């Protein structure tokens, strides 16, 4: 039986893979900021550019409340919350 933790550890976008890419990009894990993760933790087609298009189309802005269902690792939620 597959557990949630096993699923995310085996997922193509997982903690180990993301942290390795962050380090390879020259970012410090000790001083890691949400924006350091953006290039690596978007679990959908189109990455941040697709999120920006959707945000514009829906009129999401400061003060908007957004419910992110099936958020995977939460990359989109972190991006919208910044």
């Amino acid at each position: 039986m597959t557990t949630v933790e096993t699923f995310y550890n085996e997922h193509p976008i997982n903690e180990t893979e993301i942290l390795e890419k962050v380090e390879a990009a020259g970012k410090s894990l000790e001083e890691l900021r949400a924006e350091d993760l953006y290039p690596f933790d978007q679990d959908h087609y189109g990455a941040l550019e697709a999120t920006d298009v959707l945000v514009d189309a829906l009129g999401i802005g400061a003060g908007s409340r957004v419910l992110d269902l099936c958020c995977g690792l939460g990359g989109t939620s972190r991006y919208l919350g910044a």
Side-chain angles (χ1 to χ4, degrees):
M1 182 167 127
T2 302
T3 65
V4 172
E5 184 177 4
T6 300
F7 172 78
Y8 283 110
N9 284 337
E10 295 175 354
H11 192 276
I13 299 176
N14 59 66
E15 177 187 8
T16 301
E17 182 176 310
I18 291 170
L19 294 178
E20 287 173 356
K21 289 180 179 181
V22 167
E23 283 186 306
K27 303 291 182 176
S28 167
L29 295 183
E30 289 77 30
E31 298 174 13
L32 192 62
R33 300 172 308 169
E35 55 266 24
D36 296 332
L37 299 171
Y38 296 159
F40 312 111
D41 69 352
Q42 302 300 307
D43 189 17
H44 57 82
Y45 179 77
L48 292 178
E49 292 80 12
T51 300
D52 289 336
V53 169
L54 182 61
V55 164
D56 289 342
L58 295 173
I60 297 171
S64 295
R65 295 176 76 176
V66 176
L67 173 62
D68 187 352
L69 300 172
C70 300
C71 62
L73 297 174
T76 300
S77 297
R78 273 191 302 282
Y79 179 66
L80 292 176

